């Protein structure tokens, strides 16, 4: 009499591999879509937090603060300045209280930004009284 053998047959192993590859093939595209969505949401959340902070600074300082965007192909950045519009692509151009305030989109690979036609000179500002958005002079 033969003793009981342990293990898988070749057929059982092939069936398991086919099932695993089907599950993997379905899961990877949806996972990639989820990652892209998370990147966009993260970038939007960071921008929203920066806008809130700049608005609060304008009210606290009792002087306007401006936010300027630089979009060059897939590279984008934005910077804050308390003296008017600035160019975030130029080092030292965007400063609040003498401290450079530039935020790059490098952390958000695959997220692109396009600006609305209503934003003059790729900038907007916050007035100091109520923190309302204003156009730069």
């Amino acid at each position: 009499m033969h003793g009981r053998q342990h293990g898988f047959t070749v057929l059982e192993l092939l069936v398991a591999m086919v099932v695993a590859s089907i599950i993997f093939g379905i899961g990877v595209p949806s996972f990639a879509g989820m990652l892209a969505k998370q990147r966009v949401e993260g970038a939007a959340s960071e921008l929203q937090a920066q806008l809130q902070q700049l608005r609060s600074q304008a009210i606290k300082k009792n002087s306007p603060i401006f936010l300027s965007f630089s979009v060059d192909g897939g590279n984008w950045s934005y910077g804050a300045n308390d003296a008017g519009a600035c160019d975030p692509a130029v080092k030292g151009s965007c400063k609040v209280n003498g401290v450079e305030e530039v935020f790059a989109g490098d952390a958000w690979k695959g997220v692109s930004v396009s600006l609305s036609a209503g934003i003059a000179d790729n900038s907007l500002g916050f007035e100091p009284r109520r923190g309302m958005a204003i156009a730069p002079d």
Side-chain angles (χ1 to χ4, degrees):
M1 208 88 204
H2 294 287
R4 185 138 198 172
Q5 292 185 354
H6 299 286
F8 298 103
T9 65
V10 173
L11 182 60
E12 290 171 331
L13 186 60
L14 285 174
V15 169
M17 288 177 57
V18 167
V19 169
S21 64
I22 289 172
I23 291 172
F24 185 71
I26 291 171
V28 168
S30 64
F31 185 70
M34 182 189 70
L35 284 177
K37 181 180 175 186
Q38 289 295 325
R39 282 190 204 109
V40 170
E41 288 176 354
S45 179
E46 183 178 285
L47 178 58
Q48 179 187 16
Q50 293 296 334
L51 289 172
Q52 288 290 0
Q53 179 185 15
L54 293 174
R55 181 177 180 263
S56 295
Q57 283 181 340
I59 294 169
K60 181 179 175 183
K61 286 181 52 153
N62 196 29
S63 67
I65 293 185
F66 299 91
L67 184 70
S68 300
F69 294 89
S70 173
V71 179
D72 181 23
N75 300 323
W76 55 274
S77 59
Y78 55 94
N81 195 15
D82 52 10
C86 64
D87 185 356
V90 176
K91 190 163 183 68
S93 170
C94 302
K95 293 182 178 182
V96 175
N97 293 330
V99 178
E100 188 165 25
E101 296 271 344
V102 175
F103 311 95
D106 297 340
W108 308 106
K109 297 289 184 207
V111 176
S112 62
V113 172
S114 61
L115 299 176
S116 170
I119 298 179
D121 296 329
N122 297 339
S123 298
L124 60 91
F126 294 102
E127 58 92 16
R129 202 166 315 129
R130 295 179 308 224
M132 302 297 288
I134 58 173
D137 294 334

